[in-house]
Amino acid sequence: MRITRPRVAIAHDYLTQRGGAERVVLSLAKGFPDAPIYTSLYEPETTFPEFKGLDIRTSSLNRVRAFRSDHRKALPFLAHAMSQMTIDADVVIASSSGWAHGVGGDHKKLVYCYSPARWLYQSGVYLSGESAVLTRLGLRAVSTPLREWDRRHARAADRYLAISTVVQARIRDAYGLDSTIVPAPSCAPLLDVAAEAIDEPAVDRGSYVLCVSRLLPYKNVDKVVAAFRELPDRHLVVVGRGPEWDNLTRDLPANVTFLRDLTDGQMRTVYERSAALVAASHEDFGLTPLEAAAFGKPSVVLAAGGFLDTMVEDRTAVFFDAPEPARIADGIRRLFARTWSTGEIMAHGERFSESEFLSTIEQHVLDLARPAEHTRTAGRHIRGIA
């Protein structure tokens, strides 16, 4: 009997920035080219330009420019906005770090989870800094109903996929759910484009240490910058944007350069010309070292979170055990003190290919789309967890 292909839709929290989750959505759109993308907010000028050619469907919040400029201002309203989005599909792939799993409609729901909502379960870390005071106060007032909403919709999902082991544990702790680990694809878009020039002396010289990160307090980019005050003979190039830009770029040491809003071709250039990558945040997955690995570059990373899934000590990376400038500086010295195998690093990166990711997601979609004999497994509670 011929099986009809299921109608698939993609839901994502918000498309207002350039990050690993947004790249995953682009990969999903490549694997499911007929799938519309539902999201609360969409700002074409601050996310990846590839979204402009896709079928993007937004919530009513998208009319508010302030929300599109800073999605964190919309956090208290996102639950209601996503619940109001009713999707007509057989299977919805919810690309979620907080809200996309709450979309409505009569469909099977496959959640690809980057983390349970940081602003609900790790708000002190996610919303640190003076600029987030009002957002924290607003969320505090509604945190109890938001958590109830979050857990109710999480437990109503048909299947949960976790991006890493640390996220798998968070899903268990927050929701009492089993989940299957499916690593994200690494950097297929960067490998598919030609390198583009960047008018920046630090990049032209090459051999710098690269840091690619959203500029948020919990990313610890300030600690990385401070580490390079102890490394005057090394240069740091930081690529990213975010609310910490002004704080981070004030009184920079001469051996630190900040860049933002690079094209994929320019990102390929900065990776190719770098000597190594550094990352000091507690990541859910750890994507940027894999992007560096695709170009044969080793990394210096925090020995925590998703980096423990994606990196192998002394083969692809050097680990440091705390996000402190002295520890980071020591890790960079150790990296340059040894010889690395470019081929071994690239081979490791290839294990996290886009084709492998899409093949796995497709199998989950087809499994959920099967008739009634399908057994709903991801929604069951783990014994002993409320």
Side-chain angles (χ1 to χ4, degrees):
M1 181 177 69
R2 186 173 181 179
I3 299 176
T4 303
R5 299 286 296 179
R7 295 175 303 129
V8 175
I10 300 166
H12 184 66
D13 299 329
Y14 32 74
L15 294 171
T16 60
Q17 54 195 1
R18 300 185 183 196
E22 289 72 32
R23 286 204 183 278
V24 170
V25 178
L26 287 174
S27 291
L28 290 171
K30 187 183 297 185
F32 302 91
D34 298 326
I37 300 172
Y38 292 79
T39 189
S40 63
L41 302 165
Y42 172 46
E43 180 48 70
E45 302 311 313
T46 55
T47 191
F48 295 111
E50 291 85 350
F51 284 111
K52 291 182 180 179
L54 302 179
D55 181 4
I56 309 293
R57 305 181 187 184
T58 61
S59 76
S60 58
L61 294 180
N62 203 56
R63 302 190 193 104
V64 183
R65 180 177 297 179
F67 292 165
R68 300 198 309 271
S69 299
D70 183 358
H71 68 268
R72 297 192 302 173
K73 294 177 181 177
L75 293 182
F77 314 110
L78 289 175
H80 178 73
M82 296 305 284
S83 295
Q84 294 301 303
M85 300 189 80
T86 301
I87 300 178
D88 181 20
D90 297 317
V91 179
V92 170
I93 305 171
S95 166
S96 180
S97 58
W99 309 113
H101 63 289
V103 293
D106 183 16
H107 48 66
K108 299 291 187 179
K109 191 178 298 179
L110 173 66
V111 179
Y112 187 68
C113 184
Y114 307 98
S115 179
R118 284 184 179 274
W119 41 91
L120 289 180
Y121 304 104
Q122 298 173 288
S123 59
V125 175
Y126 182 83
L127 295 171
S128 59
E130 294 181 5
S131 62
V133 170
L134 291 178
T135 303
R136 287 204 306 274
L137 291 175
L139 279 176
R140 189 177 301 167
V142 295
S143 62
T144 297
L146 281 180
R147 288 190 185 198
E148 291 174 354
W149 177 95
D150 181 54
R151 289 169 177 158
R152 182 172 70 253
H153 285 281
R155 290 169 177 172
D158 294 275
R159 187 167 300 180
Y160 248 80
L161 306 179
I163 198 170
S164 66
T165 54
V166 67
V167 171
Q168 186 181 54
R170 287 182 198 160
I171 292 169
R172 185 180 300 117
D173 292 342
Y175 307 136
L177 300 180
D178 290 320
S179 59
T180 300
I181 296 173
V182 178
S186 56
C187 67
L190 301 185
L191 296 174
D192 291 341
V193 299
E196 296 177 20
I198 303 174
D199 185 18
E200 171 52 55
V203 175
D204 291 341
R205 287 193 300 269
S207 297
Y208 48 83
V209 178
L210 179 63
C211 177
V212 180
S213 176
R214 293 172 183 162
L215 304 184
L216 296 168
Y218 79 93
K219 294 292 189 177
N220 295 322
V221 177
D222 58 331
K223 308 299 193 304
V224 176
V225 171
F228 276 78
R229 296 183 186 276
E230 303 178 27
L231 299 165
D233 57 332
R234 301 291 178 191
H235 200 100
L236 172 68
V237 172
V238 179
V239 179
R241 69 156 40 243
E244 293 295 298
W245 175 273
D246 290 341
N247 291 336
L248 290 169
T249 56
R250 190 179 298 120
D251 300 322
L252 281 177
N255 63 333
V256 177
T257 299
F258 271 70
L259 303 172
R260 60 182 170 183
D261 299 332
L262 301 188
T263 65
D264 279 353
Q266 290 173 324
M267 286 302 304
R268 177 167 189 153
T269 297
V270 295
Y271 273 113
E272 287 181 337
R273 295 185 182 178
S274 67
L277 180 125
V278 60
S281 52
H282 290 266
E283 289 297 325
D284 304 325
F285 179 56
L287 178 65
T288 56
L290 285 176
E291 292 185 340
F295 296 96
K297 312 296 183 177
S299 294
V300 182
V301 298
L302 181 65
F307 295 133
L308 298 177
D309 284 359
T310 61
M311 291 289 101
V312 180
E313 190 166 18
D314 295 332
R315 288 179 54 199
T316 66
V318 165
F319 288 98
F320 54 90
D321 57 9
E324 300 169 359
R327 305 289 180 90
I328 298 168
D330 176 67
I332 290 167
R333 293 188 189 100
R334 285 186 284 126
L335 180 140
F336 282 103
R338 59 166 296 154
T339 301
W340 298 88
S341 168
T342 299
E344 185 175 16
I345 293 171
M346 293 178 73
H348 176 78
E350 288 171 359
R351 293 172 49 203
F352 299 84
S353 69
E354 183 178 61
S355 61
E356 180 68 22
F357 169 77
L358 290 176
S359 176
T360 302
I361 296 295
E362 183 178 29
Q363 287 303 310
H364 283 286
V365 167
L366 293 175
D367 186 38
L368 286 177
R370 290 191 182 108
E373 70 268 13
H374 164 68
T375 301
R376 189 167 160 167
T377 58
R380 69 176 183 271
H381 291 190
I382 297 173
R383 184 175 299 171
I385 297 180

